[in-house]
């Protein structure tokens, strides 16, 4: 539920307390999953962590500037 998403966002925010900018890509194949990713992004409230949802691993990999085979699922 919402509490779990809030807890994950708080933990992620605390894990990156420095000024390093990072990207987090999520595979989201349906509207509900994309909504959860958007909620996570809003709760994260970190200018250093970019969060985006993608429909394909290829698109996520391109945004992350890595090869698709390097992504973990």
């Amino acid at each position: 539920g919402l509490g779990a998403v809030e807890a994950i966002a708080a933990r992620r925010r605390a894990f990156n307390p420095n000024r390093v900018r990072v990207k987090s890509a999520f595979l989201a194949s349906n509207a509900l999953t994309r909504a959860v990713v958007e909620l996570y992004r809003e709760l994260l409230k970190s200018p250093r962590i970019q969060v985006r949802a993608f429909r394909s691993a290829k698109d996520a990999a391109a945004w992350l500037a890595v090869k698709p085979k390097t992504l973990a699922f």
Side-chain angles (χ1 to χ4, degrees), residues 36-63:
V36 171
V37 172
E38 180 63 22
L39 174 64
Y40 172 71
R41 187 181 68 78
E42 290 299 319
L43 291 171
L44 190 58
K45 295 180 182 158
S46 175
R48 298 178 314 277
I49 304 171
Q50 293 179 304
V51 175
R52 284 191 55 189
F54 295 90
R55 293 178 189 256
S56 75
K58 181 180 176 183
D59 291 340
W63 184 66

mmCIF file with all atom_site columns, all heavy atoms in Angstrom, residues 36-63:
data_model
loop_
_atom_site.group_PDB
_atom_site.id
_atom_site.type_symbol
_atom_site.label_atom_id
_atom_site.label_alt_id
_atom_site.label_comp_id
_atom_site.label_asym_id
_atom_site.label_entity_id
_atom_site.label_seq_id
_atom_site.pdbx_PDB_ins_code
_atom_site.Cartn_x
_atom_site.Cartn_y
_atom_site.Cartn_z
_atom_site.occupancy
_atom_site.B_iso_or_equiv
_atom_site.pdbx_formal_charge
_atom_site.auth_seq_id
_atom_site.auth_comp_id
_atom_site.auth_asym_id
_atom_site.auth_atom_id
_atom_site.pdbx_PDB_model_num
ATOM 1   N N   . VAL A 1 36 ? 1.990  3.940  -9.633  1.00 0.00 ? 36 VAL A N   1
ATOM 2   C CA  . VAL A 1 36 ? 2.802  3.680  -8.437  1.00 0.00 ? 36 VAL A CA  1
ATOM 3   C C   . VAL A 1 36 ? 4.189  4.301  -8.602  1.00 0.00 ? 36 VAL A C   1
ATOM 4   O O   . VAL A 1 36 ? 4.725  4.897  -7.660  1.00 0.00 ? 36 VAL A O   1
ATOM 5   C CB  . VAL A 1 36 ? 2.894  2.168  -8.142  1.00 0.00 ? 36 VAL A CB  1
ATOM 6   C CG1 . VAL A 1 36 ? 3.909  1.883  -7.041  1.00 0.00 ? 36 VAL A CG1 1
ATOM 7   C CG2 . VAL A 1 36 ? 1.532  1.623  -7.765  1.00 0.00 ? 36 VAL A CG2 1
ATOM 8   N N   . VAL A 1 37 ? 4.771  4.196  -9.784  1.00 0.00 ? 37 VAL A N   1
ATOM 9   C CA  . VAL A 1 37 ? 6.078  4.807  -10.037 1.00 0.00 ? 37 VAL A CA  1
ATOM 10  C C   . VAL A 1 37 ? 5.977  6.327  -9.895  1.00 0.00 ? 37 VAL A C   1
ATOM 11  O O   . VAL A 1 37 ? 6.846  6.967  -9.290  1.00 0.00 ? 37 VAL A O   1
ATOM 12  C CB  . VAL A 1 37 ? 6.627  4.416  -11.430 1.00 0.00 ? 37 VAL A CB  1
ATOM 13  C CG1 . VAL A 1 37 ? 7.894  5.202  -11.764 1.00 0.00 ? 37 VAL A CG1 1
ATOM 14  C CG2 . VAL A 1 37 ? 6.899  2.926  -11.495 1.00 0.00 ? 37 VAL A CG2 1
ATOM 15  N N   . GLU A 1 38 ? 4.921  6.913  -10.408 1.00 0.00 ? 38 GLU A N   1
ATOM 16  C CA  . GLU A 1 38 ? 4.722  8.358  -10.288 1.00 0.00 ? 38 GLU A CA  1
ATOM 17  C C   . GLU A 1 38 ? 4.564  8.754  -8.818  1.00 0.00 ? 38 GLU A C   1
ATOM 18  O O   . GLU A 1 38 ? 5.128  9.762  -8.369  1.00 0.00 ? 38 GLU A O   1
ATOM 19  C CB  . GLU A 1 38 ? 3.499  8.799  -11.089 1.00 0.00 ? 38 GLU A CB  1
ATOM 20  C CG  . GLU A 1 38 ? 3.214  10.277 -11.014 1.00 0.00 ? 38 GLU A CG  1
ATOM 21  C CD  . GLU A 1 38 ? 4.307  11.158 -11.593 1.00 0.00 ? 38 GLU A CD  1
ATOM 22  O OE1 . GLU A 1 38 ? 5.119  10.693 -12.412 1.00 0.00 ? 38 GLU A OE1 1
ATOM 23  O OE2 . GLU A 1 38 ? 4.367  12.350 -11.207 1.00 0.00 ? 38 GLU A OE2 1
ATOM 24  N N   . LEU A 1 39 ? 3.822  7.974  -8.061  1.00 0.00 ? 39 LEU A N   1
ATOM 25  C CA  . LEU A 1 39 ? 3.661  8.219  -6.629  1.00 0.00 ? 39 LEU A CA  1
ATOM 26  C C   . LEU A 1 39 ? 5.017  8.146  -5.923  1.00 0.00 ? 39 LEU A C   1
ATOM 27  O O   . LEU A 1 39 ? 5.367  9.021  -5.114  1.00 0.00 ? 39 LEU A O   1
ATOM 28  C CB  . LEU A 1 39 ? 2.699  7.205  -6.020  1.00 0.00 ? 39 LEU A CB  1
ATOM 29  C CG  . LEU A 1 39 ? 2.541  7.238  -4.501  1.00 0.00 ? 39 LEU A CG  1
ATOM 30  C CD1 . LEU A 1 39 ? 1.929  8.554  -4.045  1.00 0.00 ? 39 LEU A CD1 1
ATOM 31  C CD2 . LEU A 1 39 ? 1.685  6.061  -4.050  1.00 0.00 ? 39 LEU A CD2 1
ATOM 32  N N   . TYR A 1 40 ? 5.792  7.135  -6.236  1.00 0.00 ? 40 TYR A N   1
ATOM 33  C CA  . TYR A 1 40 ? 7.137  6.983  -5.666  1.00 0.00 ? 40 TYR A CA  1
ATOM 34  C C   . TYR A 1 40 ? 7.990  8.210  -5.979  1.00 0.00 ? 40 TYR A C   1
ATOM 35  O O   . TYR A 1 40 ? 8.659  8.764  -5.107  1.00 0.00 ? 40 TYR A O   1
ATOM 36  C CB  . TYR A 1 40 ? 7.774  5.708  -6.213  1.00 0.00 ? 40 TYR A CB  1
ATOM 37  C CG  . TYR A 1 40 ? 9.224  5.535  -5.853  1.00 0.00 ? 40 TYR A CG  1
ATOM 38  C CD1 . TYR A 1 40 ? 9.614  5.234  -4.550  1.00 0.00 ? 40 TYR A CD1 1
ATOM 39  C CD2 . TYR A 1 40 ? 10.217 5.655  -6.819  1.00 0.00 ? 40 TYR A CD2 1
ATOM 40  C CE1 . TYR A 1 40 ? 10.950 5.061  -4.223  1.00 0.00 ? 40 TYR A CE1 1
ATOM 41  C CE2 . TYR A 1 40 ? 11.546 5.485  -6.496  1.00 0.00 ? 40 TYR A CE2 1
ATOM 42  C CZ  . TYR A 1 40 ? 11.904 5.198  -5.206  1.00 0.00 ? 40 TYR A CZ  1
ATOM 43  O OH  . TYR A 1 40 ? 13.227 5.031  -4.881  1.00 0.00 ? 40 TYR A OH  1
ATOM 44  N N   . ARG A 1 41 ? 7.947  8.654  -7.240  1.00 0.00 ? 41 ARG A N   1
ATOM 45  C CA  . ARG A 1 41 ? 8.732  9.825  -7.647  1.00 0.00 ? 41 ARG A CA  1
ATOM 46  C C   . ARG A 1 41 ? 8.338  11.048 -6.831  1.00 0.00 ? 41 ARG A C   1
ATOM 47  O O   . ARG A 1 41 ? 9.187  11.796 -6.350  1.00 0.00 ? 41 ARG A O   1
ATOM 48  C CB  . ARG A 1 41 ? 8.546  10.106 -9.137  1.00 0.00 ? 41 ARG A CB  1
ATOM 49  C CG  . ARG A 1 41 ? 9.460  11.214 -9.658  1.00 0.00 ? 41 ARG A CG  1
ATOM 50  C CD  . ARG A 1 41 ? 9.231  11.487 -11.129 1.00 0.00 ? 41 ARG A CD  1
ATOM 51  N NE  . ARG A 1 41 ? 7.934  12.065 -11.379 1.00 0.00 ? 41 ARG A NE  1
ATOM 52  C CZ  . ARG A 1 41 ? 7.624  13.348 -11.172 1.00 0.00 ? 41 ARG A CZ  1
ATOM 53  N NH1 . ARG A 1 41 ? 8.515  14.177 -10.700 1.00 0.00 ? 41 ARG A NH1 1
ATOM 54  N NH2 . ARG A 1 41 ? 6.420  13.802 -11.449 1.00 0.00 ? 41 ARG A NH2 1
ATOM 55  N N   . GLU A 1 42 ? 7.037  11.250 -6.649  1.00 0.00 ? 42 GLU A N   1
ATOM 56  C CA  . GLU A 1 42 ? 6.547  12.399 -5.878  1.00 0.00 ? 42 GLU A CA  1
ATOM 57  C C   . GLU A 1 42 ? 6.942  12.289 -4.404  1.00 0.00 ? 42 GLU A C   1
ATOM 58  O O   . GLU A 1 42 ? 7.315  13.286 -3.785  1.00 0.00 ? 42 GLU A O   1
ATOM 59  C CB  . GLU A 1 42 ? 5.037  12.523 -6.013  1.00 0.00 ? 42 GLU A CB  1
ATOM 60  C CG  . GLU A 1 42 ? 4.580  12.946 -7.390  1.00 0.00 ? 42 GLU A CG  1
ATOM 61  C CD  . GLU A 1 42 ? 5.106  14.317 -7.795  1.00 0.00 ? 42 GLU A CD  1
ATOM 62  O OE1 . GLU A 1 42 ? 5.125  15.234 -6.941  1.00 0.00 ? 42 GLU A OE1 1
ATOM 63  O OE2 . GLU A 1 42 ? 5.516  14.468 -8.959  1.00 0.00 ? 42 GLU A OE2 1
ATOM 64  N N   . LEU A 1 43 ? 6.856  11.115 -3.830  1.00 0.00 ? 43 LEU A N   1
ATOM 65  C CA  . LEU A 1 43 ? 7.213  10.926 -2.427  1.00 0.00 ? 43 LEU A CA  1
ATOM 66  C C   . LEU A 1 43 ? 8.719  11.039 -2.196  1.00 0.00 ? 43 LEU A C   1
ATOM 67  O O   . LEU A 1 43 ? 9.161  11.460 -1.137  1.00 0.00 ? 43 LEU A O   1
ATOM 68  C CB  . LEU A 1 43 ? 6.716  9.566  -1.925  1.00 0.00 ? 43 LEU A CB  1
ATOM 69  C CG  . LEU A 1 43 ? 5.213  9.412  -1.801  1.00 0.00 ? 43 LEU A CG  1
ATOM 70  C CD1 . LEU A 1 43 ? 4.851  7.957  -1.523  1.00 0.00 ? 43 LEU A CD1 1
ATOM 71  C CD2 . LEU A 1 43 ? 4.655  10.323 -0.715  1.00 0.00 ? 43 LEU A CD2 1
ATOM 72  N N   . LEU A 1 44 ? 9.485  10.671 -3.190  1.00 0.00 ? 44 LEU A N   1
ATOM 73  C CA  . LEU A 1 44 ? 10.938 10.723 -3.084  1.00 0.00 ? 44 LEU A CA  1
ATOM 74  C C   . LEU A 1 44 ? 11.420 12.164 -2.884  1.00 0.00 ? 44 LEU A C   1
ATOM 75  O O   . LEU A 1 44 ? 12.310 12.419 -2.085  1.00 0.00 ? 44 LEU A O   1
ATOM 76  C CB  . LEU A 1 44 ? 11.562 10.102 -4.327  1.00 0.00 ? 44 LEU A CB  1
ATOM 77  C CG  . LEU A 1 44 ? 13.043 9.850  -4.314  1.00 0.00 ? 44 LEU A CG  1
ATOM 78  C CD1 . LEU A 1 44 ? 13.451 8.943  -3.170  1.00 0.00 ? 44 LEU A CD1 1
ATOM 79  C CD2 . LEU A 1 44 ? 13.464 9.251  -5.635  1.00 0.00 ? 44 LEU A CD2 1
ATOM 80  N N   . LYS A 1 45 ? 10.863 13.072 -3.627  1.00 0.00 ? 45 LYS A N   1
ATOM 81  C CA  . LYS A 1 45 ? 11.189 14.500 -3.498  1.00 0.00 ? 45 LYS A CA  1
ATOM 82  C C   . LYS A 1 45 ? 12.690 14.749 -3.435  1.00 0.00 ? 45 LYS A C   1
ATOM 83  O O   . LYS A 1 45 ? 13.188 15.409 -2.534  1.00 0.00 ? 45 LYS A O   1
ATOM 84  C CB  . LYS A 1 45 ? 10.514 15.091 -2.265  1.00 0.00 ? 45 LYS A CB  1
ATOM 85  C CG  . LYS A 1 45 ? 9.027  15.104 -2.341  1.00 0.00 ? 45 LYS A CG  1
ATOM 86  C CD  . LYS A 1 45 ? 8.425  15.693 -1.099  1.00 0.00 ? 45 LYS A CD  1
ATOM 87  C CE  . LYS A 1 45 ? 6.910  15.633 -1.228  1.00 0.00 ? 45 LYS A CE  1
ATOM 88  N NZ  . LYS A 1 45 ? 6.236  15.679 0.031   1.00 0.00 ? 45 LYS A NZ  1
ATOM 89  N N   . SER A 1 46 ? 13.395 14.193 -4.385  1.00 0.00 ? 46 SER A N   1
ATOM 90  C CA  . SER A 1 46 ? 14.842 14.371 -4.416  1.00 0.00 ? 46 SER A CA  1
ATOM 91  C C   . SER A 1 46 ? 15.262 14.947 -5.767  1.00 0.00 ? 46 SER A C   1
ATOM 92  O O   . SER A 1 46 ? 15.012 14.330 -6.802  1.00 0.00 ? 46 SER A O   1
ATOM 93  C CB  . SER A 1 46 ? 15.556 13.046 -4.194  1.00 0.00 ? 46 SER A CB  1
ATOM 94  O OG  . SER A 1 46 ? 16.951 13.229 -4.354  1.00 0.00 ? 46 SER A OG  1
ATOM 95  N N   . PRO A 1 47 ? 15.902 16.107 -5.749  1.00 0.00 ? 47 PRO A N   1
ATOM 96  C CA  . PRO A 1 47 ? 16.389 16.662 -7.013  1.00 0.00 ? 47 PRO A CA  1
ATOM 97  C C   . PRO A 1 47 ? 17.577 15.877 -7.577  1.00 0.00 ? 47 PRO A C   1
ATOM 98  O O   . PRO A 1 47 ? 17.933 16.046 -8.732  1.00 0.00 ? 47 PRO A O   1
ATOM 99  C CB  . PRO A 1 47 ? 16.809 18.088 -6.633  1.00 0.00 ? 47 PRO A CB  1
ATOM 100 C CG  . PRO A 1 47 ? 17.138 18.010 -5.186  1.00 0.00 ? 47 PRO A CG  1
ATOM 101 C CD  . PRO A 1 47 ? 16.211 16.970 -4.611  1.00 0.00 ? 47 PRO A CD  1
ATOM 102 N N   . ARG A 1 48 ? 18.178 15.021 -6.751  1.00 0.00 ? 48 ARG A N   1
ATOM 103 C CA  . ARG A 1 48 ? 19.341 14.235 -7.192  1.00 0.00 ? 48 ARG A CA  1
ATOM 104 C C   . ARG A 1 48 ? 18.966 12.891 -7.806  1.00 0.00 ? 48 ARG A C   1
ATOM 105 O O   . ARG A 1 48 ? 19.796 12.251 -8.426  1.00 0.00 ? 48 ARG A O   1
ATOM 106 C CB  . ARG A 1 48 ? 20.284 14.001 -6.011  1.00 0.00 ? 48 ARG A CB  1
ATOM 107 C CG  . ARG A 1 48 ? 20.855 15.267 -5.423  1.00 0.00 ? 48 ARG A CG  1
ATOM 108 C CD  . ARG A 1 48 ? 21.741 14.990 -4.233  1.00 0.00 ? 48 ARG A CD  1
ATOM 109 N NE  . ARG A 1 48 ? 21.211 14.052 -3.274  1.00 0.00 ? 48 ARG A NE  1
ATOM 110 C CZ  . ARG A 1 48 ? 20.353 14.347 -2.285  1.00 0.00 ? 48 ARG A CZ  1
ATOM 111 N NH1 . ARG A 1 48 ? 19.903 15.564 -2.148  1.00 0.00 ? 48 ARG A NH1 1
ATOM 112 N NH2 . ARG A 1 48 ? 19.937 13.426 -1.458  1.00 0.00 ? 48 ARG A NH2 1
ATOM 113 N N   . ILE A 1 49 ? 17.727 12.451 -7.608  1.00 0.00 ? 49 ILE A N   1
ATOM 114 C CA  . ILE A 1 49 ? 17.322 11.134 -8.096  1.00 0.00 ? 49 ILE A CA  1
ATOM 115 C C   . ILE A 1 49 ? 16.202 11.296 -9.118  1.00 0.00 ? 49 ILE A C   1
ATOM 116 O O   . ILE A 1 49 ? 15.109 11.732 -8.780  1.00 0.00 ? 49 ILE A O   1
ATOM 117 C CB  . ILE A 1 49 ? 16.860 10.229 -6.944  1.00 0.00 ? 49 ILE A CB  1
ATOM 118 C CG1 . ILE A 1 49 ? 17.951 10.114 -5.871  1.00 0.00 ? 49 ILE A CG1 1
ATOM 119 C CG2 . ILE A 1 49 ? 16.484 8.845  -7.478  1.00 0.00 ? 49 ILE A CG2 1
ATOM 120 C CD1 . ILE A 1 49 ? 17.499 9.418  -4.604  1.00 0.00 ? 49 ILE A CD1 1
ATOM 121 N N   . GLN A 1 50 ? 16.499 10.967 -10.356 1.00 0.00 ? 50 GLN A N   1
ATOM 122 C CA  . GLN A 1 50 ? 15.489 11.013 -11.415 1.00 0.00 ? 50 GLN A CA  1
ATOM 123 C C   . GLN A 1 50 ? 14.805 9.662  -11.482 1.00 0.00 ? 50 GLN A C   1
ATOM 124 O O   . GLN A 1 50 ? 15.481 8.620  -11.512 1.00 0.00 ? 50 GLN A O   1
ATOM 125 C CB  . GLN A 1 50 ? 16.118 11.326 -12.764 1.00 0.00 ? 50 GLN A CB  1
ATOM 126 C CG  . GLN A 1 50 ? 16.700 12.713 -12.867 1.00 0.00 ? 50 GLN A CG  1
ATOM 127 C CD  . GLN A 1 50 ? 17.318 12.916 -14.241 1.00 0.00 ? 50 GLN A CD  1
ATOM 128 O OE1 . GLN A 1 50 ? 18.183 12.154 -14.661 1.00 0.00 ? 50 GLN A OE1 1
ATOM 129 N NE2 . GLN A 1 50 ? 16.856 13.933 -14.933 1.00 0.00 ? 50 GLN A NE2 1
ATOM 130 N N   . VAL A 1 51 ? 13.489 9.664  -11.540 1.00 0.00 ? 51 VAL A N   1
ATOM 131 C CA  . VAL A 1 51 ? 12.702 8.432  -11.602 1.00 0.00 ? 51 VAL A CA  1
ATOM 132 C C   . VAL A 1 51 ? 11.807 8.492  -12.831 1.00 0.00 ? 51 VAL A C   1
ATOM 133 O O   . VAL A 1 51 ? 11.112 9.484  -13.048 1.00 0.00 ? 51 VAL A O   1
ATOM 134 C CB  . VAL A 1 51 ? 11.844 8.258  -10.329 1.00 0.00 ? 51 VAL A CB  1
ATOM 135 C CG1 . VAL A 1 51 ? 10.940 7.042  -10.447 1.00 0.00 ? 51 VAL A CG1 1
ATOM 136 C CG2 . VAL A 1 51 ? 12.726 8.151  -9.097  1.00 0.00 ? 51 VAL A CG2 1
ATOM 137 N N   . ARG A 1 52 ? 11.826 7.419  -13.621 1.00 0.00 ? 52 ARG A N   1
ATOM 138 C CA  . ARG A 1 52 ? 10.955 7.335  -14.791 1.00 0.00 ? 52 ARG A CA  1
ATOM 139 C C   . ARG A 1 52 ? 10.447 5.917  -14.969 1.00 0.00 ? 52 ARG A C   1
ATOM 140 O O   . ARG A 1 52 ? 11.135 4.957  -14.623 1.00 0.00 ? 52 ARG A O   1
ATOM 141 C CB  . ARG A 1 52 ? 11.693 7.750  -16.065 1.00 0.00 ? 52 ARG A CB  1
ATOM 142 C CG  . ARG A 1 52 ? 11.845 9.257  -16.149 1.00 0.00 ? 52 ARG A CG  1
ATOM 143 C CD  . ARG A 1 52 ? 12.323 9.744  -17.477 1.00 0.00 ? 52 ARG A CD  1
ATOM 144 N NE  . ARG A 1 52 ? 11.491 9.303  -18.590 1.00 0.00 ? 52 ARG A NE  1
ATOM 145 C CZ  . ARG A 1 52 ? 11.834 9.487  -19.860 1.00 0.00 ? 52 ARG A CZ  1
ATOM 146 N NH1 . ARG A 1 52 ? 12.968 10.067 -20.169 1.00 0.00 ? 52 ARG A NH1 1
ATOM 147 N NH2 . ARG A 1 52 ? 11.051 9.059  -20.823 1.00 0.00 ? 52 ARG A NH2 1
ATOM 148 N N   . ALA A 1 53 ? 9.261  5.828  -15.523 1.00 0.00 ? 53 ALA A N   1
ATOM 149 C CA  . ALA A 1 53 ? 8.667  4.526  -15.857 1.00 0.00 ? 53 ALA A CA  1
ATOM 150 C C   . ALA A 1 53 ? 8.782  4.313  -17.362 1.00 0.00 ? 53 ALA A C   1
ATOM 151 O O   . ALA A 1 53 ? 8.610  5.256  -18.142 1.00 0.00 ? 53 ALA A O   1
ATOM 152 C CB  . ALA A 1 53 ? 7.206  4.496  -15.431 1.00 0.00 ? 53 ALA A CB  1
ATOM 153 N N   . PHE A 1 54 ? 9.053  3.080  -17.747 1.00 0.00 ? 54 PHE A N   1
ATOM 154 C CA  . PHE A 1 54 ? 9.187  2.732  -19.160 1.00 0.00 ? 54 PHE A CA  1
ATOM 155 C C   . PHE A 1 54 ? 8.377  1.489  -19.460 1.00 0.00 ? 54 PHE A C   1
ATOM 156 O O   . PHE A 1 54 ? 8.200  0.629  -18.606 1.00 0.00 ? 54 PHE A O   1
ATOM 157 C CB  . PHE A 1 54 ? 10.663 2.473  -19.496 1.00 0.00 ? 54 PHE A CB  1
ATOM 158 C CG  . PHE A 1 54 ? 11.520 3.696  -19.357 1.00 0.00 ? 54 PHE A CG  1
ATOM 159 C CD1 . PHE A 1 54 ? 12.137 3.985  -18.155 1.00 0.00 ? 54 PHE A CD1 1
ATOM 160 C CD2 . PHE A 1 54 ? 11.685 4.557  -20.416 1.00 0.00 ? 54 PHE A CD2 1
ATOM 161 C CE1 . PHE A 1 54 ? 12.917 5.112  -18.005 1.00 0.00 ? 54 PHE A CE1 1
ATOM 162 C CE2 . PHE A 1 54 ? 12.468 5.699  -20.287 1.00 0.00 ? 54 PHE A CE2 1
ATOM 163 C CZ  . PHE A 1 54 ? 13.078 5.977  -19.084 1.00 0.00 ? 54 PHE A CZ  1
ATOM 164 N N   . ARG A 1 55 ? 7.928  1.393  -20.687 1.00 0.00 ? 55 ARG A N   1
ATOM 165 C CA  . ARG A 1 55 ? 7.170  0.223  -21.131 1.00 0.00 ? 55 ARG A CA  1
ATOM 166 C C   . ARG A 1 55 ? 8.079  -0.887 -21.639 1.00 0.00 ? 55 ARG A C   1
ATOM 167 O O   . ARG A 1 55 ? 7.668  -2.028 -21.748 1.00 0.00 ? 55 ARG A O   1
ATOM 168 C CB  . ARG A 1 55 ? 6.181  0.615  -22.228 1.00 0.00 ? 55 ARG A CB  1
ATOM 169 C CG  . ARG A 1 55 ? 5.078  1.511  -21.723 1.00 0.00 ? 55 ARG A CG  1
ATOM 170 C CD  . ARG A 1 55 ? 4.164  1.894  -22.879 1.00 0.00 ? 55 ARG A CD  1
ATOM 171 N NE  . ARG A 1 55 ? 3.232  2.906  -22.471 1.00 0.00 ? 55 ARG A NE  1
ATOM 172 C CZ  . ARG A 1 55 ? 1.956  2.688  -22.203 1.00 0.00 ? 55 ARG A CZ  1
ATOM 173 N NH1 . ARG A 1 55 ? 1.475  1.476  -22.304 1.00 0.00 ? 55 ARG A NH1 1
ATOM 174 N NH2 . ARG A 1 55 ? 1.179  3.678  -21.848 1.00 0.00 ? 55 ARG A NH2 1
ATOM 175 N N   . SER A 1 56 ? 9.328  -0.542 -21.960 1.00 0.00 ? 56 SER A N   1
ATOM 176 C CA  . SER A 1 56 ? 10.241 -1.566 -22.472 1.00 0.00 ? 56 SER A CA  1
ATOM 177 C C   . SER A 1 56 ? 11.623 -1.421 -21.844 1.00 0.00 ? 56 SER A C   1
ATOM 178 O O   . SER A 1 56 ? 12.049 -0.314 -21.486 1.00 0.00 ? 56 SER A O   1
ATOM 179 C CB  . SER A 1 56 ? 10.367 -1.464 -23.996 1.00 0.00 ? 56 SER A CB  1
ATOM 180 O OG  . SER A 1 56 ? 11.167 -0.349 -24.356 1.00 0.00 ? 56 SER A OG  1
ATOM 181 N N   . ALA A 1 57 ? 12.309 -2.551 -21.740 1.00 0.00 ? 57 ALA A N   1
ATOM 182 C CA  . ALA A 1 57 ? 13.673 -2.548 -21.216 1.00 0.00 ? 57 ALA A CA  1
ATOM 183 C C   . ALA A 1 57 ? 14.601 -1.778 -22.152 1.00 0.00 ? 57 ALA A C   1
ATOM 184 O O   . ALA A 1 57 ? 15.529 -1.111 -21.701 1.00 0.00 ? 57 ALA A O   1
ATOM 185 C CB  . ALA A 1 57 ? 14.168 -3.980 -21.039 1.00 0.00 ? 57 ALA A CB  1
ATOM 186 N N   . LYS A 1 58 ? 14.326 -1.848 -23.431 1.00 0.00 ? 58 LYS A N   1
ATOM 187 C CA  . LYS A 1 58 ? 15.149 -1.136 -24.412 1.00 0.00 ? 58 LYS A CA  1
ATOM 188 C C   . LYS A 1 58 ? 15.104 0.369  -24.156 1.00 0.00 ? 58 LYS A C   1
ATOM 189 O O   . LYS A 1 58 ? 16.133 1.038  -24.151 1.00 0.00 ? 58 LYS A O   1
ATOM 190 C CB  . LYS A 1 58 ? 14.676 -1.462 -25.833 1.00 0.00 ? 58 LYS A CB  1
ATOM 191 C CG  . LYS A 1 58 ? 15.486 -0.799 -26.909 1.00 0.00 ? 58 LYS A CG  1
ATOM 192 C CD  . LYS A 1 58 ? 14.967 -1.160 -28.282 1.00 0.00 ? 58 LYS A CD  1
ATOM 193 C CE  . LYS A 1 58 ? 15.730 -0.417 -29.359 1.00 0.00 ? 58 LYS A CE  1
ATOM 194 N NZ  . LYS A 1 58 ? 15.209 -0.703 -30.688 1.00 0.00 ? 58 LYS A NZ  1
ATOM 195 N N   . ASP A 1 59 ? 13.905 0.901  -23.933 1.00 0.00 ? 59 ASP A N   1
ATOM 196 C CA  . ASP A 1 59 ? 13.771 2.336  -23.669 1.00 0.00 ? 59 ASP A CA  1
ATOM 197 C C   . ASP A 1 59 ? 14.415 2.724  -22.337 1.00 0.00 ? 59 ASP A C   1
ATOM 198 O O   . ASP A 1 59 ? 15.065 3.763  -22.232 1.00 0.00 ? 59 ASP A O   1
ATOM 199 C CB  . ASP A 1 59 ? 12.296 2.752  -23.670 1.00 0.00 ? 59 ASP A CB  1
ATOM 200 C CG  . ASP A 1 59 ? 11.666 2.675  -25.052 1.00 0.00 ? 59 ASP A CG  1
ATOM 201 O OD1 . ASP A 1 59 ? 12.405 2.670  -26.059 1.00 0.00 ? 59 ASP A OD1 1
ATOM 202 O OD2 . ASP A 1 59 ? 10.426 2.620  -25.121 1.00 0.00 ? 59 ASP A OD2 1
ATOM 203 N N   . ALA A 1 60 ? 14.230 1.889  -21.325 1.00 0.00 ? 60 ALA A N   1
ATOM 204 C CA  . ALA A 1 60 ? 14.844 2.154  -20.019 1.00 0.00 ? 60 ALA A CA  1
ATOM 205 C C   . ALA A 1 60 ? 16.365 2.150  -20.137 1.00 0.00 ? 60 ALA A C   1
ATOM 206 O O   . ALA A 1 60 ? 17.038 3.036  -19.603 1.00 0.00 ? 60 ALA A O   1
ATOM 207 C CB  . ALA A 1 60 ? 14.387 1.117  -19.004 1.00 0.00 ? 60 ALA A CB  1
ATOM 208 N N   . ALA A 1 61 ? 16.896 1.181  -20.844 1.00 0.00 ? 61 ALA A N   1
ATOM 209 C CA  . ALA A 1 61 ? 18.344 1.084  -21.022 1.00 0.00 ? 61 ALA A CA  1
ATOM 210 C C   . ALA A 1 61 ? 18.893 2.300  -21.769 1.00 0.00 ? 61 ALA A C   1
ATOM 211 O O   . ALA A 1 61 ? 19.946 2.831  -21.400 1.00 0.00 ? 61 ALA A O   1
ATOM 212 C CB  . ALA A 1 61 ? 18.701 -0.199 -21.764 1.00 0.00 ? 61 ALA A CB  1
ATOM 213 N N   . ALA A 1 62 ? 18.175 2.749  -22.769 1.00 0.00 ? 62 ALA A N   1
ATOM 214 C CA  . ALA A 1 62 ? 18.620 3.932  -23.517 1.00 0.00 ? 62 ALA A CA  1
ATOM 215 C C   . ALA A 1 62 ? 18.680 5.159  -22.605 1.00 0.00 ? 62 ALA A C   1
ATOM 216 O O   . ALA A 1 62 ? 19.648 5.926  -22.649 1.00 0.00 ? 62 ALA A O   1
ATOM 217 C CB  . ALA A 1 62 ? 17.682 4.189  -24.694 1.00 0.00 ? 62 ALA A CB  1
ATOM 218 N N   . TRP A 1 63 ? 17.668 5.326  -21.763 1.00 0.00 ? 63 TRP A N   1
ATOM 219 C CA  . TRP A 1 63 ? 17.649 6.465  -20.839 1.00 0.00 ? 63 TRP A CA  1
ATOM 220 C C   . TRP A 1 63 ? 18.777 6.366  -19.812 1.00 0.00 ? 63 TRP A C   1
ATOM 221 O O   . TRP A 1 63 ? 19.389 7.361  -19.445 1.00 0.00 ? 63 TRP A O   1
ATOM 222 C CB  . TRP A 1 63 ? 16.289 6.545  -20.143 1.00 0.00 ? 63 TRP A CB  1
ATOM 223 C CG  . TRP A 1 63 ? 16.116 7.715  -19.237 1.00 0.00 ? 63 TRP A CG  1
ATOM 224 C CD1 . TRP A 1 63 ? 16.067 9.030  -19.584 1.00 0.00 ? 63 TRP A CD1 1
ATOM 225 C CD2 . TRP A 1 63 ? 15.964 7.667  -17.812 1.00 0.00 ? 63 TRP A CD2 1
ATOM 226 N NE1 . TRP A 1 63 ? 15.882 9.811  -18.460 1.00 0.00 ? 63 TRP A NE1 1
ATOM 227 C CE2 . TRP A 1 63 ? 15.825 8.993  -17.366 1.00 0.00 ? 63 TRP A CE2 1
ATOM 228 C CE3 . TRP A 1 63 ? 15.923 6.635  -16.886 1.00 0.00 ? 63 TRP A CE3 1
ATOM 229 C CZ2 . TRP A 1 63 ? 15.640 9.320  -16.021 1.00 0.00 ? 63 TRP A CZ2 1
ATOM 230 C CZ3 . TRP A 1 63 ? 15.740 6.955  -15.549 1.00 0.00 ? 63 TRP A CZ3 1
ATOM 231 C CH2 . TRP A 1 63 ? 15.605 8.285  -15.137 1.00 0.00 ? 63 TRP A CH2 1
#
